Amino acid sequence: MAGFDTAGVASVEAADSGDNAAQLDAERFAAWVAAGRAGEMEYLKRRDEQGVLLRSGVQVAMPWARSVIVCALNYNAAGPLSIDNAPSDSGWIARYVWSGQAPVDDIKTTDELLPTDYHDQLLGRLRQVEAAVRQRFPCETRCYVDTGPLVERAMAAKAGVGWIGKNTCVINQQLGSWLLLGVVVTSIPVAAHAEVQGAEFQIAADRCGSCTRCIDACPTDALVAPYQMDASRCIAYLTIEKKGVIAEELREPMGRQVFGCDICQDVCPWNRRAPIAANEGMLARPQMVNPALEWLAGMDAAEFKRWFKGSPVERTRRKRLLRNVAIAMGNSGEQRFAAHLEAWTSAEDPVLAEAAEWALKRMNGS
């Protein structure tokens, strides 16, 4: 109905309800935050008036919640992987940002695609699911795409959408891990959801086995152990969420990543046969695949807005993207980037200026 690739339903239990799994999830999340692994993502650290972490359990923020409908959308696009050979003067933008939609119905070329934000794509589809549920069962509901006080992947695993892999991504046996998650929180007990057609109820078995390719491939050692992510070291966090200066020891391992990182998913065996997405609004814009660093560096505010308005990159903002581009230029070893970097050493943004100085030293081997 709403065009999702798979969906499932999970019951909601409070951490103090006697449910051991709910208690364990709450304890693990609290320990993860206490260890500083959330970095500067303050929204993950929000607490209620009693000091309980909002994301430690769905009922902390929504006491009325009894179940969660988890919906997943495949965003895999036909194109190279970040680990494939690529021009030395190119950067990498995470696969989920490639998406675009046609400005007109009779589009003839992908050059005409407009940028899209997966939040909007998923939320529109979730509203359809929500409307259908409320029509059948009078209830209270909330729709969320990355913005709700809950951990979507934990709910996805409980709902049978997939298992949480050693790279901490949700992996579906048929679809792989190129999945965007959205949830509808409801006040309906799980038993009432038995009438919802197409929803999975069986928890997916962990099929990672003895494989550690994701852990071995992570350049910054963000995967500190199987199923354990130190987000403060993750390249996706560093290039998207991290404000200000990036620690020097993490810059060289960042390589050419300028927005997000797909490495741990690119090496995952379950993604070898992942189907290509055919969802409306999720077409790949070719300009986002291995983009030229010089092109990104030369964008003024108007050009940045043209290419990224309405996309996830817009939230990171141009100055943070340029910081990442400077680091990628330094890692490229391409001397022709020296002029760009020299100019940036006098930039008004001290973070960009510092990154450019580092990049020049890196380029010159000093």
Side-chain angles (χ1 to χ4, degrees), residues 165-185:
K166 292 179 182 177
N167 61 2
T168 73
C169 296
V170 174
I171 305 174
N172 179 282
Q173 190 170 351
Q174 286 74 42
L175 299 172
S177 67
W178 306 112
L179 300 173
L180 299 171
L181 301 176
V183 300
V184 181
V185 183

Side-chain angles (χ1 to χ4, degrees), residues 24-47 53 55-56 150-151 153 167-168 222-234 237 241:
L24 185 59
D25 285 345
E27 291 174 354
R28 284 175 176 169
F29 183 71
W32 183 78
V33 171
R37 292 180 175 174
E40 297 174 4
M41 295 182 285
E42 299 303 318
Y43 61 91
L44 295 177
K45 308 172 191 177
R46 290 176 54 206
R47 298 175 183 269
L53 288 163
R55 282 175 168 76
S56 63
L150 75 166
V151 180
R153 60 178 184 155
N167 61 2
T168 73
L223 294 170
V224 295
Y227 314 104
Q228 295 185 40
M229 163 75 76
D230 183 348
S232 68
R233 298 185 63 86
C234 177
Y237 164 81
E241 302 284 353

Side-chain angles (χ1 to χ4, degrees), residues 117-257:
D117 189 334
Y118 72 91
H119 295 86
D120 298 332
Q121 288 290 318
L122 265 68
L123 191 58
R125 298 168 191 262
L126 287 175
R127 296 295 187 201
Q128 296 180 47
V129 175
E130 179 185 40
V133 169
R134 292 176 70 101
Q135 185 176 21
R136 183 175 297 182
F137 308 106
C139 62
E140 188 166 356
T141 59
R142 296 285 189 282
C143 292
Y144 295 113
V145 180
D146 288 348
T147 57
L150 75 166
V151 180
E152 287 92 344
R153 60 178 184 155
M155 290 291 101
K158 193 173 182 182
V161 169
W163 71 92
I164 297 177
K166 292 179 182 177
N167 61 2
T168 73
C169 296
V170 174
I171 305 174
N172 179 282
Q173 190 170 351
Q174 286 74 42
L175 299 172
S177 67
W178 306 112
L179 300 173
L180 299 171
L181 301 176
V183 300
V184 181
V185 183
T186 88
S187 59
I188 311 168
V190 164
H193 280 296
E195 300 177 38
V196 180
Q197 297 181 355
E200 300 291 340
F201 292 90
Q202 184 175 357
I203 295 177
D206 185 333
R207 299 184 183 276
C208 284
S210 61
C211 179
T212 59
R213 294 184 189 185
C214 56
I215 298 172
D216 300 336
C218 181
T220 56
D221 296 323
L223 294 170
V224 295
Y227 314 104
Q228 295 185 40
M229 163 75 76
D230 183 348
S232 68
R233 298 185 63 86
C234 177
I235 293 174
Y237 164 81
L238 295 172
T239 56
I240 299 173
E241 302 284 353
K242 171 67 178 174
K243 298 177 181 178
V245 174
I246 294 173
E248 284 197 28
E249 66 269 19
L250 297 176
R251 297 180 193 179
E252 183 177 344
M254 285 170 59
R256 67 191 189 98
Q257 321 295 318

Side-chain angles (χ1 to χ4, degrees), residues 312-349:
V313 180
E314 184 180 28
R315 291 192 178 91
T316 295
R317 302 178 66 181
R318 175 170 166 264
K319 69 176 185 179
R320 215 177 303 171
L321 180 66
L322 293 182
R323 174 202 62 187
N324 302 337
V325 169
I327 293 173
M329 284 181 164
N331 287 328
S332 74
E334 291 283 339
Q335 289 293 329
R336 64 191 185 86
F337 291 144
H340 266 299
L341 295 171
E342 287 283 2
W344 281 344
T345 59
S346 301
E348 291 183 10
D349 178 11

